[in-house]
């Protein structure tokens, strides 16, 4: 049997070739899987920092450079849904667009 180990601070979602992505999130430890049929997709669930630089315009038409530092982590219960809808690189796809829009709205409202 295939025995993957999920490290501390990580969680795994099991992809089954016959049933698709399982709804159960696997915690830390050693787990038995069926070779070729099941495959673990391991996510890092620790809080991680990310810096997002944004150049935006203020009300008086000046360019403003802002860098936002975000601490983020996924909701572990939603990992199967995150994997099926967005993918393993969810942070690269979601965070830049959200933070850019929020920073632009903050600059416009504060200026």
């Amino acid at each position: 049997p295939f025995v993957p180990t999920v490290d501390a601070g990580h969680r795994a979602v099991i992809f089954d070739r016959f049933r698709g992505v399982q709804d159960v999130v696997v915690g830390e430890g050693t787990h038995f899987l069926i070779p070729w049929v099941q495959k673990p997709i391991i996510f890092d669930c620790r809080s991680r920092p990310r810096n997002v630089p944004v150049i935006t315009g203020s009300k008086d038409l000046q360019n403003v450079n802002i860098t936002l530092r975000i601490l983020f982590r996924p909701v572990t219960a939603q990992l199967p849904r995150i994997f099926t809808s967005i993918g393993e690189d969810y942070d690269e796809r979601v965070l830049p667009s959200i933070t850019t829009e929020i920073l632009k709205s903050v600059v416009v409202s504060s200026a």
Side-chain angles (χ1 to χ4, degrees):
F2 179 57
V3 186
T5 300
V6 180
D7 295 329
H10 293 71
R11 299 290 183 269
V13 174
I14 306 299
F15 174 74
D16 191 309
R17 289 185 190 267
F18 300 117
R19 293 181 286 171
V21 176
Q22 305 286 316
D23 288 333
V24 179
V25 177
V26 178
E28 304 162 353
T30 303
H31 306 280
F32 294 100
L33 297 178
I34 303 168
W36 187 82
V37 175
Q38 294 177 327
K39 174 186 169 190
I41 296 98
I42 298 177
F43 287 91
D44 187 359
C45 291
R46 299 173 292 185
S47 291
R48 291 181 287 165
R50 181 179 175 93
N51 291 332
V52 180
V54 174
I55 300 173
T56 184
S58 63
K59 285 183 182 176
D60 55 352
L61 301 176
Q62 293 181 2
N63 284 338
V64 179
N65 294 328
I66 299 177
T67 301
L68 177 66
R69 180 179 169 95
I70 307 168
L71 287 175
F72 72 96
R73 63 186 172 90
V75 177
T76 55
Q78 296 295 321
L79 283 177
R81 190 167 153 233
I82 290 171
F83 177 69
T84 54
S85 60
I86 303 171
E88 288 182 75
D89 59 343
Y90 65 92
D91 54 338
E92 298 290 331
R93 294 184 181 197
V94 174
L95 290 178
S97 60
I98 292 174
T99 54
T100 302
E101 293 304 317
I102 290 174
L103 280 175
K104 285 183 180 181
S105 68
V106 167
V107 169
V108 168
S109 65
S110 66

